[in-house]
Structure formats: C-alpha cells, structure tokens
Amino acid sequence: MNAETGKTALITGASSGIGQELAKLFAQDGYNLVLVARSDDTLDRLADVFKSNYGTQQITVIKKDLAEEDAAQDVYNQVKAKDITVNVLVNDAGVGLYGLFATDTDWEREKAMIHLNVLSLTQMTKLFLYDMLARNEGKILNLASLLSITPTPLMAVYAGTKAYVYNFTQSLVNELKETNVTITALLPNATDTDFFNKAGAENTKVTDEVQDPVMVAKDGYEALMAGKAKVVPGGLKNKSYEVLAYVAPQEALASLMHGKMSQKPQPEPENQDDKSSALTWGIGFGIAVLAGIALAVAYNNTSAVDKARYRYKAKSAGNALSDALSSVSDSLSSVLDSVVDVYQTARSKAEQLVPREEEVEEEVAA
C-alpha cells in the first residue's frame, strides 16, 4: 500500500495530454482522484482503466467547461457536497490560439481562453488553497509554459495568460513559505499533445521540437512532490532556453520566437544535382584527407632541396585555394553579420547593467 493511499488529487484538463499523464501518476501512487474536463465519456473510460490497472479506490468525474462563468465555483461546490478533501490541486486545463492578434484571431475565443487560463485557474486556486491553509497541508501544481517568460508573437494572448500564471504562482510561493502548503509552476516546452491542433498552429516550425507528455508529467509530478517553486522539464536544452529568456534582449527573443511560431515552408522537390554535388564534396574531402596524410609522410622523407621546391608549389596552390574559398565566405557573411548584431546588442545591454571598473572604485572610495 502506498503512503498516499486515501489522499485525493483533483486534476483539471485530465482527459488528455499532460493532465491525463499526471492523473496516471497519482493513480499509481494510490491517490483517489477527482477528474475534471469537458468530456465525461473520456473521463469515465479513464476511471475504469485506473481502477483496473492501479486499484484506485475512489474516482469522481466532473464534466465542466472551465471557460464558462463561475465554473470553478461549481466544481468546488460539487467536491464539497461529496465531502471530499482535496490534498493536491492540479490546474492543467488550458487552451491556446494562433495568429496575428490584430487581424487573425477571434475575440470571443480569446475571451474564453483568458477565462480558462487565468480566471478559472485563479479561482480554483483561491477556493482550494483556503481549505489547505486551514489544515496547514496541501500541494498545488499550476501549468505555466516556457512561453510564460518570453514574448511570443503569433500567440501573444496565450503567452500573456501563461506569464500571469507563472508570476501569480511565484508570488504565492513567497506567501506560503512559512506554511506546510506548497505551490509549483510547471514550465514545459512545446509538448506532443492536441494543443497545437486546437490552437490552429499544427503546421508551425515549433511542432518539430515537441516533447513527450509522459516526460513532462513525470518531471512536474516529482517537482510538485518535492515542493519546488518551479520546474522546466526536458534537461539542459530547455533550461538553457530559460536562461536565455532572462538575459537576452526582449526584441531579440521576440524575433526568435516569431521564427519558431511561423509556418513551415512548403517542401521542395529534392534536386538530383544537389545530391550529386553533396556526394562529390564528401568524396573529395575524404580523398583530400588521405592525400594529405600521404603527402606529409612523403615530405618528411625528402631532401632539403625538394622540400624547398614543394613549399613554393604549396604556396601557389594555397593562393588558388584562397580565391576559391572566398565565394563561400561571401555566402556566409550575412549570417555572420546577424550573429554579430545579436551579440553586440546583448553585450550593450549587459554593459548598461554592470558598472565600469572606475565607477566601482569611486563607490568603494566614497
């Protein structure tokens, strides 16, 4: 029997994706469950699976669209009416919307998204947190996003709602630090769920980088149980994105994210000449390496006069090679220029924040 048997976890958005994977982890650890989503049929099937596979004792299914007015209050009332004590609250339910804010997106859908991602999450947290503090026991997991810490053109309102979730959660971390109640923000990168299809962003470049919801849920679950303030799943790569979001200029981040959120280009037919050219370069490079090794051995075994003759020929060949490579250098110049521009901008921003050595000496002397 698990130590958590008898405790209850309430998970919103439990019918699919990260929410479903989190519900599975709670079931495996012996929690009773309250599953909330718009589809009660899906939740009923999940309940049967959890009872069969993990022996879950009590599963309560609540069909509710949390984008509706007072939906969070209704969920809370149903839970209280059943005399269920919620030990863990997971605010996973959320939606996105893709497109240019001024011209592409629909206000009614944006309003519903703000209600779901912000208002319902906040009200759910307020209602259940009050009871947790009365018991001085409980845990809350709020689903934010890596987009919560960076500007995101083409998903501006969604990113704004997640920025609220992250800031709200970290504020509560401080308010709760003298209690036995903890709250955790989960900041995943793009995840392989139905999110992008529902948001109308299924053909964006970022979908080539989606991560496994099982991994995201596992990292979030472990951080929640450890009482951590936040977690960025996915290892060093995603943590480097987090660091970049804190130190890079906002305009550079916005441009980067605009590129990631843009539509994938239409695939072009593969050019046979390009394949032949690539193969030729590859074979030629291999031959050049082998030839270089052979020449080096031969050179070391020649007389001083022959070595001088070879050095003269090598210089002439080097000049020709330099001319041939100049065109390659020109083709890369625009890319290098853009990298230098980003570096210089970031460096300028950093220098504005760090005092010069003379200023530090003057302050110390004062």
Side-chain angles (χ1 to χ4, degrees), residues 85-162:
T85 297
V86 173
N87 306 97
V88 181
L89 170 66
V90 177
N91 286 309
D92 172 79
V95 293
L97 187 61
Y98 177 81
L100 293 170
F101 173 71
T103 56
D104 294 348
T105 54
D106 176 72
W107 168 241
E108 292 302 321
R109 290 187 64 185
E110 284 170 331
K111 184 168 64 173
M113 176 172 61
I114 294 169
H115 197 292
L116 173 60
N117 294 4
V118 174
L119 295 179
S120 287
L121 178 143
T122 305
Q123 190 174 17
M124 290 282 287
T125 302
K126 190 172 189 71
L127 292 168
F128 287 101
L129 178 58
Y130 185 89
D131 293 342
M132 291 178 181
L133 287 174
R135 302 190 310 269
N136 197 26
E137 174 271 337
K139 297 179 182 295
I140 299 174
L141 179 67
N142 285 338
L143 189 71
S145 168
L146 269 182
L147 301 188
S148 67
I149 54 176
T150 181
T152 309
L154 301 176
M155 292 195 81
V157 177
Y158 172 78
T161 65
K162 290 304 179 179

Side-chain angles (χ1 to χ4, degrees), residues 233-279:
L236 183 61
K237 178 181 178 180
N238 287 342
K239 289 178 176 59
S240 68
Y241 285 151
E242 180 190 14
V243 173
L244 180 66
Y246 295 145
V247 301
Q250 291 294 292
E251 60 270 25
L253 283 174
S255 296
L256 172 67
M257 294 308 300
H258 197 141
K260 285 182 174 292
M261 296 308 304
S262 62
Q263 295 287 313
K264 298 176 186 177
Q266 292 296 322
E268 297 180 1
E270 194 170 24
N271 190 315
Q272 190 63 35
D273 292 340
D274 292 342
K275 292 175 63 177
S276 300
S277 177
L279 180 61

Side-chain angles (χ1 to χ4, degrees), residues 33-205:
L33 301 174
V34 178
L35 306 179
V36 182
R38 291 181 296 177
S39 173
D40 53 353
D41 290 341
T42 303
L43 295 182
D44 287 336
R45 289 195 294 271
L46 279 177
D48 291 339
V49 171
F50 291 159
K51 288 177 180 178
S52 173
N53 291 353
Y54 312 119
T56 309
Q57 297 297 311
Q58 180 180 332
I59 301 180
T60 302
V61 169
I62 298 178
K63 179 184 179 181
K64 180 60 61 177
D65 182 355
L66 291 172
E68 297 175 351
E69 192 70 26
D70 293 326
Q73 183 69 58
D74 185 57
V75 170
Y76 178 78
N77 292 343
Q78 290 190 49
V79 169
K80 296 296 286 185
K82 296 178 183 296
D83 198 26
I84 298 174
T85 297
V86 173
N87 306 97
V88 181
L89 170 66
V90 177
N91 286 309
D92 172 79
V95 293
L97 187 61
Y98 177 81
L100 293 170
F101 173 71
T103 56
D104 294 348
T105 54
D106 176 72
W107 168 241
E108 292 302 321
R109 290 187 64 185
E110 284 170 331
K111 184 168 64 173
M113 176 172 61
I114 294 169
H115 197 292
L116 173 60
N117 294 4
V118 174
L119 295 179
S120 287
L121 178 143
T122 305
Q123 190 174 17
M124 290 282 287
T125 302
K126 190 172 189 71
L127 292 168
F128 287 101
L129 178 58
Y130 185 89
D131 293 342
M132 291 178 181
L133 287 174
R135 302 190 310 269
N136 197 26
E137 174 271 337
K139 297 179 182 295
I140 299 174
L141 179 67
N142 285 338
L143 189 71
S145 168
L146 269 182
L147 301 188
S148 67
I149 54 176
T150 181
T152 309
L154 301 176
M155 292 195 81
V157 177
Y158 172 78
T161 65
K162 290 304 179 179
Y164 169 85
V165 172
Y166 178 67
N167 194 296
F168 170 65
T169 303
Q170 297 311 301
S171 298
L172 294 187
V173 166
N174 180 269
E175 291 185 12
L176 298 173
K177 65 181 182 180
E178 301 300 329
T179 74
N180 291 325
V181 180
T182 62
I183 186 165
T184 304
L186 174 58
L187 284 71
N189 202 341
T191 307
D192 190 11
T193 68
D194 201 33
F195 171 84
F196 289 100
N197 292 329
K198 292 178 178 177
E202 64 274 10
N203 195 45
T204 53
K205 293 178 181 178

